[in-house]
Amino acid sequence: PRTFTMNNPWSDNKFVPKQALAPTPKLYDELVGDSMESLAKASLAQIHPIAASAIVHDNGCGTGAGSAAVMDRVSTSKVEITIKGSDINEKALEIYKSRALINNWPAEVFKMASENLTFADDTFTHSISNALLFVLPNDGIDALKEMYRTLMSGGTMIVNSWAYVPNIEPLQTAAKVTRPPGSPLPRQGMGKWSSPEFLQQVVEKGGFRKDKITLTKAEVYC
């Protein structure tokens, strides 16, 4: 069976190093620190302020980095919004629910795949997919089509990818010398996502018009 863990691609390979820690959402949060939230904040900074009565979809919400960034963005303006977070990972959604309760987020969570959303057409004023596309099959195009379908006319969608990830090369080098021959390299194929043209092409294939797409680059330190 194919397996999926947070920020890790689909894989048919069942090899697990003997001393590997279980790839749980809790461990993932410990490893990435505040980098996912910082990425979401940098992305949200590129759009107009979120207005009152906005309905925000945190697509592939994980443990809530995108929603936390959304709430940080609206906290100073005191606007009332609604957030709907969706993900396929039940353990991640449990952490999300806990964070939402503790921080009093106006949020609901839903277990569903980004490529097969059950939300109605034209549901959201905003759709944010934080560090999501590059971990999905088919470069996330199927998920983008669903985002397009569920976004209201005139709504705003935010997707992002890393322009440069300095730790990938040493990780892959270590994998080559420590794993059995034929094992897939961690984050293999990530290089294409450093191209803004590739990201734009993917978004266009998802149904968004080229003249409606704005590409920006921001610095995020992890």
Side-chain angles (χ1 to χ4, degrees):
R2 295 193 302 175
T3 57
F4 180 79
T5 56
M6 295 181 69
N7 204 28
N8 193 53
W10 293 95
S11 175
D12 294 307
N13 189 282
K14 298 179 181 179
F15 171 74
V16 178
K18 292 180 180 179
Q19 296 182 16
L21 297 174
T24 65
K26 183 178 179 181
L27 175 63
Y28 176 79
D29 278 354
E30 292 176 0
L31 291 172
V32 301
D34 63 354
S35 60
M36 291 298 101
E37 190 170 332
S38 296
L39 177 61
K41 286 180 179 179
S43 299
L44 285 163
Q46 311 307 316
I47 68 170
H48 296 297
I50 299 174
S53 302
I55 305 173
V56 181
H57 181 204
D58 187 355
N59 191 10
C61 62
T63 59
S67 293
V70 168
M71 292 306 298
D72 181 75
R73 184 78 193 275
V74 302
S75 62
T76 56
S77 55
K78 308 297 183 184
V79 299
E80 293 185 5
I81 64 170
T82 299
I83 302 175
K84 297 182 184 295
S86 64
D87 204 288
I88 60 171
N89 191 310
E90 291 185 1
K91 294 295 184 182
L93 291 177
E94 289 176 7
I95 296 174
Y96 184 105
K97 289 179 183 178
S98 177
R99 291 185 69 184
L101 183 63
I102 292 171
N103 294 288
N104 198 29
W105 293 348
E108 297 179 83
V109 294
F110 301 83
K111 184 185 178 185
M112 64 177 73
S114 299
E115 309 95 312
N116 189 27
L117 301 176
T118 59
F119 298 118
D121 296 357
D122 308 312
T123 297
F124 302 105
T125 60
H126 296 74
S127 180
I128 178 170
S129 294
N130 190 48
L132 177 68
L133 294 185
F134 50 81
V135 304
L136 295 177
N138 194 28
D139 294 327
I141 293 171
D142 301 318
L144 282 161
K145 291 178 180 178
E146 283 291 86
M147 285 182 258
Y148 183 86
R149 178 185 66 80
T150 57
L151 192 64
M152 293 181 187
S153 177
T156 300
M157 182 193 71
I158 298 174
V159 294
N160 52 37
S161 63
W162 297 106
Y164 175 60
V165 184
N167 62 346
I168 285 184
E169 186 175 350
L171 281 171
Q172 292 181 341
T173 299
K176 288 177 183 178
V177 299
T178 58
R179 296 184 178 185
S183 296
L185 294 177
R187 305 308 315 140
Q188 193 166 19
M190 188 67 184
K192 63 186 178 183
W193 289 97
S194 64
S195 166
E197 290 77 18
F198 180 79
L199 181 58
Q200 173 152 335
Q201 289 170 11
V202 166
V203 174
E204 287 183 46
K205 290 177 181 178
F208 293 84
R209 282 170 39 186
K210 185 174 184 178
D211 63 328
K212 297 292 185 180
I213 300 171
T214 301
L215 290 170
T216 59
K217 186 176 181 180
E219 292 186 344
V220 177
Y221 293 93
C222 305

